[in-house]
Amino acid sequence: MSDQAPVSDDSVARVAGPGMVMAFHYDLYDASANKIESSKAGNPVLCLHGERGVLLALQEAFVGKVAGDDFSITIPHGRAYGRHYPDRVQRLARKKIDGGKQQTFRPGQIITLRGEHGPSPATVIKVGKFNLDVDMNHPLAGVDLTFDVQVVDVREATASEVAHGHAHGVGGHQHA
Ligand code: ZN
């Protein structure tokens, strides 16, 4: 299978949707307009329409967009990373986490907990002498997300992108 992008007529604007790869920049804000992250320090993000790992509600907002379009979308946490469960905030004995190695922890640090269902990430929220308070919710759980998006490019997906289910190239999935 060829990995060359299909030749298309450049006079026709390519429209985002199934079978297309979107290249875009975004700024992400919480409900208080605090900037959470931005793509602008690097390459545009590439996304094959329908790609797993990219919020579905964001991808839906792309449908019909062309290169040069700007849009803003607010995604309630129920369609983003879900609600914040208070019972996933727990106080754990430090020695259960560092095995008594006197590791240094700081609030905001992401650590890996080993549980019965395998390793899971957690955010340190408070550091005590003998205990750590950790939050095992996704860092964006309970957060309503507003994306300000600039569509940089829309192109047809290559055959191998469709076969793999993700976009390839700079800003997308890199592999040989
Ligand atoms: Zn691939």
Side-chain angles (χ1 to χ4, degrees), residues 7-169:
V7 179
S8 344
D9 180 354
D10 274 331
S11 66
V12 179
R14 285 176 289 272
V15 178
M20 305 299 279
V21 170
M22 297 84 78
F24 62 98
H25 274 300
Y26 70 91
D27 293 307
L28 174 59
Y29 300 90
D30 67 15
S32 308
N34 298 307
K35 193 183 280 193
I36 299 169
E37 59 184 52
S38 172
S39 66
K40 288 177 183 159
N43 293 305
V45 177
L46 292 181
C47 172
L48 170 66
H49 188 87
E51 182 168 334
R52 287 169 59 95
V54 179
L55 290 176
L56 195 59
L58 178 61
Q59 298 197 49
E60 285 170 0
F62 269 97
V63 174
K65 298 289 191 288
V66 298
D69 281 350
D70 294 347
F71 67 92
S72 186
I73 179 178
T74 297
I75 302 174
H77 62 263
R79 295 210 68 203
Y81 294 98
R83 49 179 284 227
H84 185 273
Y85 295 93
D87 63 344
R88 292 186 190 163
V89 178
Q90 292 182 11
R91 177 160 293 175
L92 302 174
R94 286 181 73 133
K95 64 170 186 260
K96 279 189 76 173
I97 298 169
D98 67 6
K101 288 186 205 139
Q102 305 293 327
Q103 227 173 297
T104 306
F105 297 100
R106 57 182 168 71
Q109 184 180 352
I110 308 285
I111 59 172
T112 301
L113 301 176
R114 279 174 298 272
E116 47 187 309
H117 305 295
S120 62
T123 307
V124 176
I125 52 179
K126 195 171 157 211
V127 180
K129 194 163 163 53
F130 300 110
N131 298 297
L132 287 185
D133 290 358
V134 301
D135 187 343
M136 290 175 270
N137 290 283
H138 187 283
L140 295 177
V143 182
D144 298 329
L145 303 173
T146 296
F147 287 88
D148 281 348
V149 177
Q150 281 104 53
V151 183
V152 176
D153 188 34
V154 178
R155 64 168 170 80
E156 284 157 56
T158 65
S160 69
E161 285 173 324
V162 172
H164 292 190
H166 52 232
H168 291 160

